[in-house]
Amino acid sequence: KAGVTQTPRYLIKTRGQQVTLSCSPISGHRSVSWYQQTPGQGLQFLFEYFSETQRNKGNFPGRFSGRQFSNSRSEMNVSTLELGDSALYLCASSLEGSFYGYTFGSGTRLTVV
Amino acid sequence: KNQVEQSPQSLIILEGKNCTLQCNYTVSPFSNLRWYKQDTGRGPVSLTIMTFSENTKSNGRYTATLDADTKQSSLHITASQLSDSASYICVVSEDFGNEKLTFGTGTRLTIIP
């Protein structure tokens, strides 16, 4: 079966711009989580959506937002980009929650210049 | 504050040798602990997941142990191969269902021929 698909794979944006990243979960998975990964901080949790509702949120500023559609696909938006937002953004999907395990996508590499 | 600490930060070993990676956590209440393997530029892939009642789990040449009393876990890799070169991330979950994950910063393992 198809895995978690993230688009685009690479993105270069300028400071102050906004960006939208997309994640298509494994068919049947209703939970989608987003993570930011940087060399210095490792993986950091952004937020989790379940059945179109944000169920958990990490400690990121309001410039980071997301949503989930009725087909479980999810988008993440970052407004007013800063140089420090350069990172690998990973999406993970699961059936219900942690017990069933997460499957990660390959990520979107965002570079802010 | 919940934390997951991994050691060593990086490790270089010869192909065919064994190695052990460590993970100490302070996450409470504990739900489960997972080890992920992340190849460069890819998303993490689950190796093992252990709940409170499990103290060892194997996946091929990978064997994870968990001591919930001391809040320590280890990942032992047997007969290492060049393809084992990757980052290994320890992830601890607080709760079932409406969960929150805490990530370690990973151990970068390099296998040399």
Side-chain angles (χ1 to χ4, degrees):
Chain A
K1 61 181 178 182
V4 178
T5 303
Q6 290 189 246
T7 57
R9 286 281 281 137
Y10 302 94
L11 207 49
I12 299 175
K13 289 287 189 178
T14 306
R15 266 185 308 175
Q17 286 187 312
Q18 75 163 15
V19 67
T20 299
L21 312 182
S22 179
C23 172
S24 294
I26 290 173
S27 178
H29 283 193
R30 295 195 290 164
S31 169
V32 174
S33 300
W34 288 89
Y35 304 85
Q36 181 194 67
Q37 188 176 34
T38 57
Q41 297 292 321
L43 271 162
Q44 292 183 284
F45 172 71
L46 281 155
F47 28 67
E48 183 213 4
Y49 285 87
F50 183 83
S51 293
E52 301 180 65
T53 300
Q54 188 179 87
R55 189 161 70 171
N56 267 315
K57 190 176 188 301
N59 298 321
F60 277 81
R63 300 185 296 108
F64 292 82
S65 63
R67 59 177 176 170
Q68 186 179 33
F69 302 95
S70 58
N71 61 358
S72 293
R73 190 178 71 86
S74 177
E75 287 182 347
M76 190 192 90
N77 184 273
V78 187
S79 63
T80 319
L81 284 166
E82 301 176 359
L83 295 179
D85 296 333
S86 295
L88 179 67
Y89 288 89
L90 291 161
C91 159
S93 76
S94 75
L95 275 170
E96 298 283 348
S98 70
F99 186 78
Y100 298 95
Y102 281 89
T103 301
F104 282 85
S106 293
T108 293
R109 171 71 64 184
L110 172 65
T111 302
V112 183
V113 298
Chain B
K1 179 182 175 183
N2 289 332
Q3 285 187 312
V4 175
E5 295 184 351
Q6 292 188 242
S7 61
Q9 281 192 337
S10 61
L11 183 62
I12 301 173
I13 64 171
L14 289 172
E15 184 180 11
K17 298 295 185 182
N18 303 335
C19 66
T20 299
L21 314 180
Q22 300 290 343
C23 172
N24 297 337
Y25 62 93
T26 61
V27 175
S28 182
F30 174 84
S31 172
N32 61 75
L33 183 147
R34 316 167 208 180
W35 283 94
Y36 282 89
K37 177 187 178 188
Q38 185 176 22
D39 294 314
T40 301
R42 310 294 295 182
V45 174
S46 179
L47 293 175
T48 63
I49 177 170
M50 290 183 290
T51 59
F52 183 87
S53 58
E54 298 172 294
N55 55 25
T56 186
K57 186 163 279 189
S58 292
N59 179 357
R61 295 179 296 102
Y62 301 99
T63 299
T65 63
L66 172 65
D67 186 333
D69 291 330
T70 62
K71 298 188 177 182
Q72 295 179 325
S73 176
S74 65
L75 180 68
H76 186 74
I77 304 175
T78 305
S80 61
Q81 300 176 359
L82 296 178
S83 59
D84 293 331
S85 294
S87 288
Y88 292 84
I89 303 170
C90 175
V91 185
V92 182
S93 172
E94 277 184 59
D95 199 6
F96 283 108
N98 193 21
E99 67 160 8
K100 183 178 177 183
L101 303 178
T102 304
F103 292 83
T105 54
T107 292
R108 178 69 203 176
L109 176 64
T110 303
I111 311 297
I112 56 176

